[in-house]
Amino acid sequence: MMLRQANRNGYYLLYLFMTGLFLGILLVNIRHDVWMKEDGLLNAAMIKQLQNSELDGNYLFGYIVRSRISTILVISMLASTMIGLPIVCGYVCYLGASAGCILSIAVIRYGIRGLFFMAAGIFPQAILLIPGYFLLFRWGLDCNRGLYGKIDGLEGRYLIGRQFLIAKGVKLLGILLIILSGCILESYVNPKVLQFVLKIF
């Protein structure tokens, strides 16, 4: 039963992300004049600046880790509240919309080169970050349903015990380690990949 519910939550997350992705693409195409200004996102000046910049891996790691840890803490805390379900779902949809907007802008501005740029921007950290965040969001949904779902007329928080809390804590720790490993790749490996692609951009 729990495995079926976890799989169902995974499908919900995928649907939400794809919905957001579609909305993001649609938004850029509807307001093409707003998004494609010369001083807009991914403009020529921004690409040129990236080509000429030297990224400090240590500084980048500190910045990225703070951002990722903040997200993990907020999601994990909100997941244990009554508003956890809509917050997690809304954030997943927002991520999809953001991805759709950036992808559309990159393709409209640079065509096939934009796809290569986007791929370089998320490789290789996406190998760890995508499943890490997927597990985080599914953990949030599972935790929220476990706390506030009703079993035999009683809300879950009256039925959970120490074993539930330990299991959720161990899973969250594992997710944290996956995301931190992705941060290492994003800080020390991805800049080299991105610089290589930008040289032939």
Side-chain angles (χ1 to χ4, degrees):
M1 179 67 179
M2 293 180 64
L3 181 60
R4 191 184 309 125
Q5 184 62 56
N7 290 334
R8 189 179 303 166
N9 287 342
Y11 287 125
Y12 286 157
L13 292 173
L14 181 60
Y15 295 150
L16 286 168
F17 183 83
M18 295 305 295
T19 299
L21 186 71
F22 172 77
L23 291 175
I25 294 172
L26 186 64
L27 179 62
V28 171
N29 284 276
I30 289 176
R31 299 302 308 272
H32 183 276
D33 56 327
V34 174
W35 290 94
M36 302 309 296
K37 292 180 179 178
E38 289 186 6
D39 58 346
L41 188 63
L42 298 181
N43 58 57
M46 180 179 176
I47 297 297
K48 190 69 174 178
Q49 185 177 5
L50 285 173
Q51 288 173 328
N52 297 327
S53 63
E54 290 291 336
L55 297 177
D56 182 352
N58 293 328
Y59 173 81
L60 195 59
F61 179 73
Y63 173 79
I64 290 171
V65 165
R66 286 193 297 271
S67 175
R68 307 290 186 207
I69 294 298
S70 298
T71 300
I72 293 172
L73 290 176
V74 170
I75 292 296
S76 59
M77 287 189 295
L78 290 177
S80 63
T81 68
M82 291 290 290
I83 63 170
L85 186 62
I87 290 294
V88 171
C89 293
Y91 188 68
V92 172
C93 195
Y94 162 77
L95 289 178
S98 299
C101 287
I102 295 174
L103 183 62
S104 295
I105 292 170
V107 171
I108 292 172
R109 284 191 187 277
Y110 304 108
I112 191 66
R113 291 185 303 156
L115 288 177
F116 284 116
F117 173 74
M118 293 302 298
I122 64 172
F123 182 82
Q125 69 270 19
I127 297 172
L128 293 173
L129 291 181
I130 290 177
Y133 272 99
F134 176 80
L135 290 173
L136 174 65
F137 297 139
R138 198 172 76 171
W139 178 93
L141 293 182
D142 292 343
C143 183
N144 189 269
R145 291 181 187 277
L147 288 169
Y148 299 103
K150 291 190 176 182
I151 302 174
D152 296 331
L154 293 174
E155 290 187 356
R157 66 177 179 273
Y158 296 115
L159 303 175
I160 65 173
R162 183 179 178 184
Q163 186 176 1
F164 174 87
L165 297 175
I166 292 175
K168 289 300 178 185
V170 170
K171 287 181 180 179
L172 185 60
L173 181 60
I175 293 168
L176 177 62
L177 292 175
I178 293 172
I179 293 178
L180 284 177
S181 299
C183 291
I184 294 173
L185 293 178
E186 188 174 6
S187 303
Y188 298 103
V189 180
N190 175 254
K192 294 180 174 60
V193 174
L194 194 57
Q195 285 290 332
F196 174 77
V197 172
L198 286 172
K199 286 180 180 178
I200 60 176
F201 195 73

